[in-house]
Amino acid sequence: MLRTHTCGELRSTHVGEVVSLCGWVDKSRDHGGTLFIDLRDRYGKTQVVFEPDAGAELYAEASKLRGEDVIKVTGKVIVRPEGTRNAKLSTGDVELQVTALELLNKCNNAPFSPSQQDLPGEDLRLKYRYLDLRRSEMQKTLVLRSSIIKAMRDYFEENQFIDVETPILGRSTPEGARDYLVPSRVHNGSFYALPQSPQLYKQILMVAGYDRYVQVARCFRDEDLRADRQPEFTQLDLEMSFVTHEDVMSMIDGLMKKLAKQFLNIDLQLPLPRMTWDEAMERFGHDAPDLRYGCELIDCTDLAAKCDFRVFKETAEQGKKLRGICAPGGGKLYSRKLIDELTEFVKQFEAKGLAWFRVEDDGKLFSPIAKNFTEAQLEEFKTRMQAKPGDIMFFVADTWAVSCKALHNLRKKIGVDLKLYDPKTMNFSWVVEFPMFEYDAEEKRWVSMHHPFTAPRPQDLHMLDSDPAKSRAVAYDLVINGSEAGGGTIRIHDWQVQQKVFGLLGIDEETAKNRFGFLLEALQFGAPPHGGIALGIDRVVMLFGALDSIREVIAFPKTQKAADLMTEAPNLVDNKQLRELGIKLASADKP
Amino acid sequence: MLRTHTCGELRSTHVGEVVSLCGWVDKSRDHGGTLFIDLRDRYGKTQVVFEPDAGAELYAEASKLRGEDVIKVTGKVIVRPEGTRNAKLSTGDVELQVTALELLNKCNNAPFSPSQQDLPGEDLRLKYRYLDLRRSEMQKTLVLRSSIIKAMRDYFEENQFIDVETPILGRSTPEGARDYLVPSRVHNGSFYALPQSPQLYKQILMVAGYDRYVQVARCFRDEDLRADRQPEFTQLDLEMSFVTHEDVMSMIDGLMKKLAKQFLNIDLQLPLPRMTWDEAMERFGHDAPDLRYGCELIDCTDLAAKCDFRVFKETAEQGKKLRGICAPGGGKLYSRKLIDELTEFVKQFEAKGLAWFRVEDDGKLFSPIAKNFTEAQLEEFKTRMQAKPGDIMFFVADTWAVSCKALHNLRKKIGVDLKLYDPKTMNFSWVVEFPMFEYDAEEKRWVSMHHPFTAPRPQDLHMLDSDPAKSRAVAYDLVINGSEAGGGTIRIHDWQVQQKVFGLLGIDEETAKNRFGFLLEALQFGAPPHGGIALGIDRVVMLFGALDSIREVIAFPKTQKAADLMTEAPNLVDNKQLRELGIKLASADKP
């Protein structure tokens, strides 16, 4: 090594030793002819000192150093003079009295400095990603990511899982999201697809008897990117044989307990709390509720039916729902102007309006629509909503689905506005028993809520014929702070049930055989009962690192337009390459 | 869990317990009305017993079971009767007296059985890969692979490496092998490329200050497949800052010592032996010599120059080489017929012929060309080659390059034919100081022997201008049993040297800027000296598992035509998908 120690290593026990350090010039300052440089590497910072009597040439060389230059220094470790020790720095008791300096590489006119206070815009940070990655926050995050993944691997090894790599060059199946395709050179006209997940491979591994499989798997979806999505992402993927949902969930419970202890110093109580999907939708309007605060959705449809206010009454008569949430202490914050903004806000989620009642100091309800209700009716609403003076109640009268969507988002907003929870707290829970299917109004057909390989609850098997909408799956989502951190299911291991589910999804026998023939065969050649789960590692690291953007937890992320600004991918390629692949650009024919 | 224990778990300490096992029916036999079934899972086999007095219904159900059916059995663990214990089985002291049987899944007419003696052809094994993967040999291999990779990760974590994931959707750079391309939907006409290795990303991580990076990385090459190649493969990829080649090599030395001890129970002596590329080519004709046996190449050009045999003499006069190997004890095996075959064999490697001399019992040399030499000359050859009675010497008179290629391959063949080494021994070594460049006669230009980012030895830097062919790189290949297990180099961290090397490779400034601009910039913004290595994990597992084919160490390999026979990838896709990607099939225009 060019160095004897890292920049985070020297302590008072090293005093007197002659050592060499390598690193980046972080800050430098001249105090009365003595030059102090903070030398930085991944491990920390050390103060290195160039004294005038160490030689004019050395001092002159050192004076020319600028931020981010890469240097090697050699010298003696000395105690810092009394009063100049830096308790904030792990190496702050000592400094290095430099006797030799080697400039390893110059940093010339970098577009920004990793130690500057105000960061430049994200595009510049992505273009010069190596400068951005040199920031200590980014280094901390990527070290956290590496450590979390290592802790996961250790945990699953202890639990006798086998790490198996599944192919990246796979088969395109038009179920689910859009595939990334890879044209084949050997088989012109055919394409590989990058995997959206190793779902079928891991099921095949169970059929092959591997019993417990785990993989940190790269997955790909060619979708228009939302803020927290990337074209390629990483999931902790696992599968177990001869298990029930209890076994998979308790395996993940144990993992979360370990990670929470190791990285957040939180002692989780196991088992993690569980809630059915029905309950989550009823109480929170969403299948990944944030349980760090209350402010639950409360159904008042029965009260609406009894009152004379037309909008409410008709809601009940039409089989729609009147549901509300009570914002504790929100009466003061939410002025008329802000309430108007909230009304616009819920309209984004298809609600037609937002009714509200403020509880005044005397307990009376104030609302522009109050005059439509009797005193007793108002009192009933207040009681049902458990509203207290200073609170404000909001109501959405609409279909169940719209009220879920609108009130869930309103609840999230209110939680932040009213600081209803400490953002540092962490909440882990499960949502279970999802519906097998949801109706896709656009495509006018049933689609799987998880995926087509999900097993129905045994007691719901008969409903596949009679009432598929009511059938519930053996499915479980891990929710952390209102984010879906992972989702899993017990899989179908009976080929006839699988065939039936394909049928319900509108995949006829021939299509099923064509796309999933190998699975249907595998289920007939000795498939054990099995199930598994996948956790979004990017998401987990974001949550554990209290970060806002997925691009902060990925070393080389892509923009929302799926571009890598540093390498300038995707890029144009030679015609020769396309010819070999048997493809041409659609635009090539245009004049 | 559906089971209380695995099939590899029960011992005499469990006797008396009521347990449940799940697994596959391996073998069954009926002894006088009692049915014995070997139940199998990944962990082992347990004998489960259905006795007639356990109930006629249970017995009847059990009698219907066939190989590979998946069952659950419950019963009491009992000691096997004296004389029926099976010492070969870890569970062989006990058996399970079954009281309840549940058929979890039937196996119907599988195309082959994982326990059958004669395996079907590889195509059938790949099509029904889950049956093939159920074989205990395959399970053992994939467990070995998982364990080796875990041991690698543990080692690098102990050595403070950070595991960083680099993108799979990258930029196409036409250096090196052919890229797999991924058409972009958002940027029609542009393409991502799957990485041939994370080379530039890991260098960028060093510039970003990550100091020690490691990744088990998936890599892709769209090349015509040889027996031991796959379109996607896995490498252990690492990079270190502020290091010399000594540091990288000693890091890998330590890894090999750990792996050899853990998986082969071999104590490696460190440092592993090293040989320069020049020496390897001179002594073995190859840059990855198998050091498990001698039989080295010996140069006799000086002797050729002195003799009157025209072929030899002209070889020396034309600046070519006469080199030979002595096959110890080969005089008997290699009959005239077999020697003719060896002659044909070396012609595959461009040699024009093969001269040979057998040492007879009396020490005299026998050869069809012996008459062209004096006794003294023959004696000189024998002495130079250290040939003894019973040996046979082979000579190739040709260019240095052809003699290397022909004699290296001949040496390999002789090593196997004469059993010159125990195939169970393992030999680890380094080959170092490769040439920077080799001349590509076809393309009529210099190409990098490793890659364009490889640093020349400091003492050879000046030769880049004067005599690039002579310059040697700071490069090191790990060789195990004559296979290249990995290769690494110290990288160029000076952008001007990098620019110069690009120039020598015929990449002009503009092209370099276009393709590698971000690297050239990064080298100017604070790049530390750095270097690394990549090991082929598939190859390492093959060598550690003593396996012949790379397809035996990959769960879902592709055929030599790059197809997945199980999922039938690559496959045809919808025109809609192609339209979205802005491409069409070249064949689409044909009538």
Side-chain angles (χ1 to χ4, degrees):
Chain A
M1 299 284 299
L2 303 186
R3 67 192 175 208
T4 57
H5 296 75
T6 71
C7 294
E9 201 171 349
L10 296 179
R11 300 286 184 276
S12 47
T13 49
H14 296 96
V15 165
E17 289 181 31
V18 173
V19 304
S20 294
L21 302 181
C22 293
W24 286 260
V25 173
D26 196 64
K27 273 171 198 151
S28 62
R29 60 203 171 279
D30 200 316
H31 271 304
T34 300
L35 190 68
F36 296 88
I37 287 179
D38 284 344
L39 193 64
R40 188 192 70 227
D41 66 13
R42 191 187 103 200
Y43 310 93
K45 286 180 196 172
T46 304
Q47 179 164 289
V48 306
V49 186
F50 297 84
E51 288 179 354
D53 57 6
E57 200 186 332
L58 178 64
Y59 184 87
E61 283 304 308
S63 300
K64 283 188 243 155
L65 294 174
R66 294 293 170 265
E68 303 309 312
D69 283 347
V70 187
I71 60 172
K72 171 182 171 171
V73 288
T74 302
K76 196 189 272 188
V77 183
I78 58 170
V79 181
R80 287 208 202 180
E82 209 55 53
T84 68
R85 298 196 179 175
N86 185 346
K88 281 191 212 145
L89 216 60
S90 62
T91 63
D93 286 342
V94 298
E95 58 191 24
L96 192 73
Q97 211 167 24
V98 181
T99 51
L101 163 69
E102 187 183 347
L103 178 65
L104 297 173
N105 220 343
K106 192 78 197 147
C107 176
N108 277 321
N109 304 316
F112 67 96
S113 160
S115 40
Q116 78 191 48
Q117 284 294 327
D118 295 327
L119 282 176
E122 193 176 23
D123 277 5
L124 201 69
R125 290 170 52 206
L126 289 173
K127 180 166 168 57
Y128 299 97
R129 187 62 169 172
Y130 41 91
L131 295 176
D132 197 40
L133 287 173
R134 218 182 274 164
R135 291 189 299 120
S136 65
E137 293 80 3
M138 278 301 321
Q139 295 195 346
K140 223 180 289 173
T141 301
L142 289 189
V143 170
L144 175 69
R145 182 185 181 108
S146 176
S147 303
I148 286 178
I149 293 177
K150 185 63 170 55
M152 288 173 166
R153 294 190 201 279
D154 290 346
Y155 177 82
F156 288 105
E157 191 201 30
E158 285 156 24
N159 284 287
Q160 297 196 276
F161 281 72
I162 305 181
D163 185 343
V164 182
E165 296 155 76
T166 55
I168 297 291
L169 293 171
R171 183 193 165 90
S172 178
T173 52
E175 281 302 299
R178 200 184 286 111
D179 283 327
Y180 277 105
L181 297 182
V182 182
S184 163
R185 179 178 57 85
V186 182
H187 310 271
N188 271 192
S190 288
F191 292 78
Y192 304 97
L194 306 185
Q196 297 185 25
S197 94
Q199 182 63 34
L200 292 180
Y201 286 110
K202 66 179 177 174
Q203 292 191 230
I204 289 292
L205 284 170
M206 294 304 102
V207 179
Y210 285 71
D211 203 68
R212 295 182 163 201
Y213 143 91
V214 71
Q215 187 182 195
V216 173
R218 203 73 64 86
C219 305
F220 305 83
R221 282 183 202 169
D222 187 9
E223 294 295 333
D224 297 315
L225 304 181
R226 286 185 271 144
D228 61 342
R229 289 282 171 92
Q230 281 282 310
E232 52 182 306
F233 56 98
T234 306
Q235 70 186 31
L236 175 76
D237 193 54
L238 63 96
E239 196 78 5
M240 303 166 74
S241 289
F242 304 116
V243 291
T244 69
H245 58 288
E246 293 289 346
D247 302 301
V248 182
M249 291 166 77
S250 99
M251 188 60 68
I252 298 299
D253 275 4
L255 175 68
M256 287 302 126
K257 188 177 176 72
K258 173 183 161 144
L259 296 183
K261 184 68 192 169
Q262 184 172 340
F263 296 103
L264 304 166
N265 199 25
I266 293 175
D267 284 302
L268 286 187
Q269 292 304 311
L270 299 188
L272 294 175
R274 299 178 190 181
M275 189 182 288
T276 64
W277 181 88
D278 288 320
E279 185 183 347
M281 297 305 286
E282 202 51 42
R283 289 175 54 194
F284 302 95
H286 196 254
D287 59 4
D290 193 332
L291 301 183
R292 287 176 296 180
Y293 61 105
C295 201
E296 299 186 10
L297 279 57
I298 293 169
D299 194 317
C300 299
T301 313
D302 57 330
L303 302 183
K306 289 194 299 181
C307 73
D308 295 324
F309 182 48
R310 198 177 50 85
V311 178
F312 280 20
K313 200 177 173 68
E314 283 180 7
T315 296
E317 286 168 359
Q318 291 165 1
K320 295 181 179 172
K321 298 286 176 187
L322 179 72
R323 295 159 91 193
I325 56 178
C326 174
K332 203 163 172 183
L333 175 72
Y334 290 118
S335 61
R336 289 297 285 258
K337 182 166 169 286
L338 287 181
I339 293 173
D340 287 346
E341 284 177 25
L342 292 183
T343 307
E344 288 309 305
F345 176 75
V346 297
K347 283 182 181 169
Q348 292 174 44
F349 306 101
E350 296 171 47
K352 282 176 270 323
L354 189 65
W356 59 273
F357 299 83
R358 192 171 63 221
V359 190
E360 307 292 25
D361 288 346
D362 60 3
K364 294 266 184 280
L365 293 190
F366 175 80
S367 169
I369 57 167
K371 60 180 186 295
N372 297 293
F373 301 88
T374 65
E375 280 295 316
Q377 284 172 340
L378 290 174
E379 205 56 31
E380 268 194 305
F381 275 107
K382 201 177 83 177
T383 308
R384 174 73 58 84
M385 301 294 291
Q386 299 189 302
K388 288 177 206 58
D391 294 354
I392 181 166
M393 307 184 287
F394 296 103
F395 291 93
V396 169
D398 213 308
T399 61
W400 178 82
V402 167
S403 72
C404 282
K405 203 156 43 161
L407 288 172
H408 159 68
N409 283 288
L410 183 63
R411 176 177 176 267
K412 267 174 68 173
K413 185 160 174 33
I414 287 173
V416 173
D417 287 351
L418 297 179
K419 298 191 175 62
L420 294 182
Y421 57 93
D422 176 356
K424 279 184 203 145
T425 57
M426 296 284 284
N427 185 288
F428 298 75
S429 72
W430 291 100
V431 173
V432 301
E433 294 179 19
F434 285 70
M436 279 288 285
F437 308 102
E438 55 189 341
Y439 195 73
D440 187 322
E442 219 166 281
E443 299 206 9
K444 293 193 177 144
R445 63 180 188 98
W446 293 100
V447 294
S448 295
M449 202 160 219
H450 278 81
H451 53 58
F453 319 108
T454 299
R457 297 195 308 173
Q459 62 267 45
D460 295 357
L461 198 52
H462 67 279
M463 287 194 219
L464 292 187
D465 292 317
S466 57
D467 193 356
K470 283 224 176 94
S471 62
R472 292 291 181 263
V474 192
Y476 31 83
D477 276 11
L478 179 70
V479 179
I480 306 178
N481 295 354
S483 279
E484 183 200 326
T489 66
I490 294 297
R491 328 299 183 187
I492 298 167
H493 68 275
D494 179 315
W495 74 275
Q496 285 161 312
V497 175
Q498 184 65 71
Q499 190 82 274
K500 176 171 290 185
V501 169
F502 282 150
L504 287 167
L505 296 170
I507 305 173
D508 63 39
E509 261 186 61
E510 200 184 310
T511 309
K513 200 181 152 189
N514 186 21
R515 289 183 196 164
F516 303 110
F518 67 100
L519 175 70
L520 289 169
E521 276 187 318
L523 295 183
Q524 293 169 70
F525 296 152
H530 61 287
I533 193 168
L535 304 188
I537 285 186
D538 306 304
R539 187 75 63 88
V540 167
V541 176
M542 263 176 81
L543 290 163
F544 275 63
L547 294 159
D548 293 327
S549 156
I550 199 167
R551 291 185 296 280
E552 299 293 306
V553 300
I554 294 176
F556 301 101
K558 297 205 168 50
T559 63
Q560 298 220 6
K561 296 214 149 181
D564 179 337
L565 297 183
M566 182 179 76
T567 62
E568 295 178 354
N571 59 319
L572 302 176
V573 299
D574 293 344
N575 269 324
K576 175 167 173 276
Q577 289 173 279
L578 301 185
R579 267 199 309 276
E580 287 182 321
L581 299 174
I583 60 171
K584 46 198 228 173
L585 301 184
S587 60
D589 294 338
K590 288 177 192 156
Chain B
M1 302 283 299
L2 303 187
R3 66 192 175 208
T4 57
H5 296 75
T6 70
C7 295
E9 201 170 349
L10 296 179
R11 299 287 183 276
S12 48
T13 49
H14 295 95
V15 166
E17 288 181 33
V18 173
V19 304
S20 294
L21 302 182
C22 293
W24 286 260
V25 172
D26 196 64
K27 273 170 196 150
S28 62
R29 60 204 169 281
D30 200 315
H31 271 305
T34 300
L35 190 68
F36 295 88
I37 287 180
D38 283 344
L39 193 64
R40 188 193 70 228
D41 66 11
R42 190 188 103 199
Y43 310 93
K45 286 181 196 172
T46 303
Q47 177 162 292
V48 306
V49 186
F50 297 84
E51 287 179 355
D53 56 7
E57 200 185 332
L58 178 64
Y59 183 87
E61 283 305 308
S63 300
K64 283 187 244 156
L65 294 175
R66 293 293 170 266
E68 302 310 311
D69 284 349
V70 186
I71 60 172
K72 170 182 173 173
V73 288
T74 302
K76 195 188 274 187
V77 183
I78 57 170
V79 181
R80 288 207 202 179
E82 210 54 56
T84 68
R85 298 196 180 176
N86 184 347
K88 282 191 213 146
L89 216 59
S90 61
T91 63
D93 285 343
V94 299
E95 59 191 23
L96 192 73
Q97 209 166 26
V98 181
T99 52
L101 163 69
E102 188 183 346
L103 178 65
L104 296 173
N105 220 343
K106 193 77 196 148
C107 176
N108 277 321
N109 304 317
F112 67 95
S113 161
S115 39
Q116 79 190 45
Q117 284 294 327
D118 295 327
L119 282 177
E122 193 176 24
D123 278 5
L124 201 69
R125 289 171 53 206
L126 289 173
K127 180 166 168 55
Y128 299 96
R129 187 63 168 171
Y130 40 90
L131 295 176
D132 197 40
L133 287 173
R134 216 182 275 164
R135 290 190 299 121
S136 65
E137 292 80 3
M138 278 301 322
Q139 295 196 347
K140 223 180 289 173
T141 301
L142 289 188
V143 169
L144 174 69
R145 182 184 180 108
S146 176
S147 303
I148 286 178
I149 292 177
K150 186 62 171 53
M152 288 174 165
R153 294 191 201 279
D154 290 346
Y155 177 81
F156 288 105
E157 191 202 30
E158 283 156 25
N159 284 288
Q160 297 195 277
F161 282 72
I162 305 181
D163 185 343
V164 182
E165 294 156 77
T166 54
I168 297 290
L169 293 171
R171 182 193 165 89
S172 178
T173 52
E175 280 301 300
R178 198 185 286 110
D179 283 327
Y180 277 105
L181 297 182
V182 182
S184 163
R185 180 178 55 85
V186 182
H187 310 271
N188 271 190
S190 287
F191 292 79
Y192 305 97
L194 306 185
Q196 297 184 24
S197 94
Q199 182 63 32
L200 291 180
Y201 286 110
K202 67 179 176 174
Q203 293 192 230
I204 288 293
L205 284 170
M206 294 303 102
V207 179
Y210 284 71
D211 204 70
R212 293 181 165 203
Y213 144 91
V214 71
Q215 187 182 194
V216 173
R218 203 72 64 87
C219 305
F220 305 84
R221 282 183 203 170
D222 187 9
E223 294 295 333
D224 297 316
L225 303 182
R226 285 185 271 144
D228 61 342
R229 288 282 170 92
Q230 282 281 310
E232 52 183 306
F233 56 97
T234 306
Q235 70 186 34
L236 175 77
D237 193 54
L238 63 96
E239 197 77 4
M240 302 167 74
S241 289
F242 304 116
V243 291
T244 68
H245 59 287
E246 295 288 346
D247 302 301
V248 182
M249 290 164 79
S250 100
M251 188 60 69
I252 298 300
D253 275 3
L255 175 68
M256 286 302 127
K257 187 177 176 74
K258 175 185 159 143
L259 297 182
K261 184 68 193 171
Q262 184 172 340
F263 297 103
L264 304 167
N265 199 27
I266 293 175
D267 284 301
L268 286 187
Q269 292 304 311
L270 300 188
L272 295 175
R274 300 177 189 181
M275 188 183 289
T276 64
W277 182 87
D278 288 321
E279 185 183 347
M281 297 305 285
E282 201 50 42
R283 289 175 53 194
F284 302 96
H286 197 254
D287 59 4
D290 192 333
L291 302 184
R292 288 177 296 181
Y293 61 104
C295 200
E296 299 185 10
L297 278 56
I298 294 169
D299 193 318
C300 299
T301 313
D302 57 330
L303 303 184
K306 291 192 297 181
C307 73
D308 296 322
F309 182 48
R310 196 177 51 85
V311 178
F312 280 19
K313 199 177 176 66
E314 284 180 6
T315 295
E317 284 168 0
Q318 291 165 1
K320 295 181 179 173
K321 298 285 177 187
L322 179 72
R323 295 159 90 194
I325 54 179
C326 172
K332 202 163 172 184
L333 175 72
Y334 290 119
S335 61
R336 288 298 284 259
K337 183 165 168 288
L338 286 182
I339 293 172
D340 288 345
E341 283 177 26
L342 291 183
T343 307
E344 288 310 304
F345 176 76
V346 296
K347 284 183 180 168
Q348 291 174 46
F349 307 101
E350 295 169 50
K352 281 178 270 324
L354 189 65
W356 59 274
F357 298 84
R358 192 171 62 220
V359 191
E360 308 291 25
D361 289 344
D362 59 3
K364 294 265 184 279
L365 292 190
F366 174 80
S367 170
I369 56 168
K371 60 180 184 298
N372 297 293
F373 301 89
T374 64
E375 280 294 317
Q377 283 170 342
L378 290 175
E379 204 57 31
E380 267 193 304
F381 276 107
K382 199 178 85 177
T383 308
R384 173 73 58 86
M385 301 294 291
Q386 301 188 303
K388 288 177 205 62
D391 295 352
I392 180 166
M393 307 185 287
F394 296 103
F395 292 92
V396 168
D398 214 307
T399 61
W400 178 81
V402 167
S403 73
C404 282
K405 202 154 49 161
L407 288 172
H408 158 69
N409 284 288
L410 182 62
R411 177 176 176 267
K412 267 173 68 175
K413 187 162 171 32
I414 287 173
V416 173
D417 286 351
L418 298 179
K419 298 191 176 63
L420 294 182
Y421 57 93
D422 176 357
K424 279 185 204 144
T425 58
M426 296 284 284
N427 185 288
F428 298 75
S429 71
W430 291 101
V431 173
V432 301
E433 294 179 19
F434 285 69
M436 280 288 285
F437 309 101
E438 54 188 341
Y439 195 73
D440 187 323
E442 219 167 283
E443 299 206 10
K444 292 195 177 140
R445 63 181 188 97
W446 293 101
V447 294
S448 295
M449 203 160 215
H450 277 81
H451 52 58
F453 318 107
T454 298
R457 297 194 309 172
Q459 63 267 46
D460 294 357
L461 199 51
H462 67 278
M463 287 195 219
L464 292 187
D465 292 317
S466 56
D467 193 356
K470 282 221 177 98
S471 62
R472 292 291 181 263
V474 192
Y476 31 84
D477 276 12
L478 179 69
V479 179
I480 306 180
N481 294 355
S483 279
E484 182 199 329
T489 65
I490 294 297
R491 328 299 184 186
I492 298 167
H493 68 276
D494 179 315
W495 74 275
Q496 285 161 311
V497 175
Q498 184 66 70
Q499 190 81 274
K500 175 170 291 186
V501 169
F502 282 150
L504 286 167
L505 296 170
I507 306 173
D508 63 40
E509 261 186 59
E510 199 185 311
T511 309
K513 200 180 153 190
N514 186 23
R515 289 182 196 164
F516 303 109
F518 67 100
L519 175 70
L520 289 170
E521 276 187 318
L523 296 182
Q524 294 170 69
F525 296 154
H530 61 287
I533 193 168
L535 304 188
I537 286 187
D538 306 303
R539 185 76 62 89
V540 167
V541 176
M542 262 177 81
L543 290 163
F544 274 63
L547 295 159
D548 294 326
S549 157
I550 200 167
R551 292 185 296 281
E552 299 293 307
V553 300
I554 294 175
F556 301 102
K558 296 205 168 51
T559 62
Q560 300 221 5
K561 297 212 148 180
D564 180 336
L565 297 183
M566 183 180 75
T567 63
E568 295 176 356
N571 59 317
L572 302 176
V573 299
D574 293 345
N575 268 323
K576 176 168 173 275
Q577 289 173 279
L578 301 186
R579 267 198 309 277
E580 287 183 320
L581 299 175
I583 60 171
K584 46 197 227 174
L585 301 185
S587 60
D589 294 338
K590 289 177 191 157

